[in-house]
Amino acid sequence: MNQQVYLVGGAVRDALLGVAVYDRDWVVVGSTPEQMLAQGFVQVGKDFPVFLHPKSREEYALARTERKSGVGYHGFDIAASPNVTLEEDLQRRDLTINAMAQDAQGHIIDPYGGQADLTQRVLRHVSAAFSEDPLRVLRVARFAAKLQPFGFTIHPDTLALMQAMVQSCELAHLTPERVWQEVVKALSCDKPSVFFSVLRQVGALAVLFPELERLFAVPQPPQHHPEGDAGVHTLMVLDAACALSDSLEVRFGALMHDLGKGVTPEALWPKHHGHEAAGVPLVSALCERYRVPKKMQSFAEKVTLWHGIIHTALDQQGAPYLKAKTVLKVLKGCGALKDPEGFNKILLACEADAKGRTGFEHIDYKPTAFWLGVLAAVSQLNNQEILAQGLSGAAIGEAIDAKQLQLAHEYMSAITA
């Protein structure tokens, strides 16, 4: 059998959509691992034969079939042989728009109607084998977010299949790392709220992220939150963060910031006093469950704990509302003096929180200028001048604290005058 090479998957889909193609994957039909190695390819796949091209370093996978033999996405018997056809390889893929190939002459091979679904802007599963891999629930949600600018919708049959997969407890077999990988990819989209909305629609949000699910149908004070629902607000904040920053930290912090509202006793609704502190252990638990990088976890915890007081820096006339001592506590709690760039990201997440409300989308978020101004003032402290006073031990720290407090107070007095 002659070896044949085809471009497959996302590269074919994106080219047909007119989207720039950055990554290309290839399928090789009619070949063996020995033949690939003889051509200079480097094998990297352990579960099935995947090779890196000796020059381009792009991935070339031998055509393969999969048969369900266990639970989760590891529970498959993989068969890669020269007899596997291109159509058989494409049939195991998730969505029709990802199950197209292109030959060396540029012809599209489309046995499962991917081009028609591209035209109709439909996300549709290729076959019943879709339900064998629980990760596909998250992948379809992510594709819905990624392709949202094109107006894609999920086919009702695919939605029903996703719901059935959730109800059969298949998601319990997902590893934390794979879930987090999909979250990161979703957060990189322009409108990641779609990802979480789809997960909620099929019941997966309650299974994977119960802390987020609990926010829905929780009321908030209408004068501050015309959108009402705390879950709706959270997704609005997430999208607002995406409009403000490409930083995954900012976006994830925005997503996590109000988890505490989900545990406010109903008797206290619609107010949520203390939700900031109440949310921190929830953020910590979620991050530890999915092995979120510690730096990102720490950032989200800071946004959660401090966003409320950051909002209240100024009164309605724009004058400082907080005491200098409190302002200094916020700066130190946020790590602003050691990491000004990180503090600026915290302020972006807070701005997203302020703008993620119905009717407030285009407000001028004035606390940012105040916090950056007071940080600059406090940062003018010269430690050498303190040390030159001949102090020692705890007295040095006390002198530094006193000087920082003085600088913060002077700045706040100057902008009040």
Side-chain angles (χ1 to χ4, degrees):
M1 181 180 290
N2 293 327
Q3 175 179 297
Q4 296 173 296
V5 179
Y6 300 90
L7 183 66
V8 293
V12 179
R13 175 199 70 227
D14 288 349
L16 291 173
L17 280 174
V19 175
V21 175
Y22 297 104
D23 296 314
R24 300 191 300 174
D25 293 313
W26 306 84
V27 159
V28 183
V29 177
S31 189
T32 65
E34 293 75 20
Q35 290 173 324
M36 298 294 287
L37 293 172
Q39 296 173 62
F41 284 83
V42 178
Q43 185 167 351
V44 294
K46 295 180 180 179
D47 297 328
F48 47 83
V50 177
F51 302 82
L52 295 182
H53 190 280
K55 293 183 180 179
S56 70
R57 313 305 289 176
E58 292 177 335
E59 288 191 0
Y60 285 66
L62 296 186
R64 66 185 188 269
T65 59
E66 297 175 350
R67 184 175 63 83
K68 187 74 168 175
S69 59
V71 296
Y73 61 90
H74 281 309
F76 292 93
D77 288 332
I78 307 296
S81 80
N83 298 320
V84 177
T85 66
L86 176 64
E87 286 74 16
E88 288 174 326
D89 181 273
L90 295 176
Q91 187 179 30
R92 66 177 176 77
R93 296 174 185 266
D94 50 10
L95 298 171
T96 60
I97 64 171
N98 296 330
M100 297 180 287
Q102 182 176 310
D103 65 16
Q105 289 72 44
H107 299 134
I108 301 297
I109 297 93
D110 179 21
Y112 305 107
Q115 289 184 93
D117 283 343
L118 270 185
T119 300
Q120 295 170 19
R121 301 297 195 248
V122 173
L123 301 176
R124 184 199 313 259
H125 61 285
V126 175
S127 70
F130 176 96
S131 64
E132 296 175 352
D133 183 355
L135 190 67
R136 289 176 169 176
V137 173
L138 281 79
R139 280 177 55 83
V140 172
R142 174 166 60 83
F143 279 117
K146 174 184 173 69
L147 298 175
Q148 188 272 341
F150 294 93
F152 275 80
T153 58
I154 303 173
H155 192 277
D157 291 346
T158 302
L159 272 176
L161 193 55
M162 293 165 68
Q163 290 170 336
M165 291 168 69
V166 172
Q167 291 166 4
S168 69
C169 301
E170 269 286 302
L171 299 189
H173 303 297
L174 290 171
T175 64
E177 292 84 359
R178 295 303 294 269
V179 174
W180 177 244
Q181 285 176 14
E182 290 300 318
V183 171
V184 168
K185 291 176 182 178
L187 290 177
S188 300
C189 298
D190 290 338
K191 203 171 179 63
S193 62
V194 174
F195 172 79
F196 295 99
S197 294
V198 170
L199 291 185
R200 184 164 189 261
Q201 186 177 3
V202 300
L205 193 68
V207 175
L208 298 172
F209 307 105
E211 300 91 344
L212 288 170
E213 177 67 30
R214 278 200 296 265
L215 295 174
F216 289 89
V218 172
Q220 304 169 106
Q223 67 272 29
H224 302 301
H225 290 279
E227 72 283 355
D229 192 297
V232 172
H233 166 62
T234 294
L235 296 187
M236 291 176 70
V237 173
L238 175 58
D239 286 342
C242 293
L244 291 169
S245 175
D246 293 332
S247 166
L248 288 177
E249 287 181 331
V250 173
R251 296 178 178 199
F252 184 65
L255 178 67
M256 295 288 101
H257 83 286
D258 261 355
L259 291 188
K261 290 180 178 178
V263 295
T264 301
E266 287 189 33
L268 302 180
W269 288 355
K271 295 182 179 179
H272 296 278
H273 293 306
H275 76 275
E276 298 90 350
V280 174
L282 300 176
V283 174
S284 304
L286 186 151
C287 289
E288 288 163 13
R289 188 165 74 247
Y290 290 113
R291 300 173 190 173
V292 175
K294 290 299 181 183
K295 183 180 178 182
M296 192 167 295
Q297 176 179 337
S298 176
F299 179 86
E301 289 168 348
K302 289 173 182 174
V303 172
T304 300
L305 182 59
W306 297 108
H307 72 273
I309 198 166
I310 286 174
H311 290 327
T312 62
L314 304 173
D315 63 21
Q316 293 184 342
Q317 286 70 45
Y321 176 75
L322 303 173
K323 295 179 180 179
K325 185 177 181 180
T326 304
V327 167
L328 200 57
K329 180 181 178 181
V330 173
L331 292 179
K332 292 183 176 181
C334 291
L337 296 166
K338 296 180 179 179
D339 183 14
E341 183 180 347
F343 184 56
N344 194 50
K345 289 181 179 180
I346 290 174
L347 294 176
L348 283 171
C350 291
E351 181 177 352
D353 182 26
K355 291 183 174 180
R357 301 176 292 162
T358 300
F360 292 84
E361 294 86 352
H362 304 292
I363 63 165
D364 178 20
Y365 187 65
K366 295 180 179 178
T368 294
F370 167 79
W371 286 107
L372 292 179
V374 75
L375 174 61
V378 172
S379 298
Q380 292 174 6
L381 171 68
N382 187 337
N383 286 342
Q384 295 303 317
E385 291 182 2
I386 301 293
L387 295 174
Q389 296 176 20
L391 302 172
S392 61
I396 296 176
E398 293 171 359
I400 289 175
D401 288 344
K403 185 62 177 178
Q404 289 174 333
L405 191 62
Q406 177 190 337
L407 292 170
H409 182 74
E410 289 175 353
Y411 173 80
M412 295 165 66
S413 297
I415 63 173
T416 303

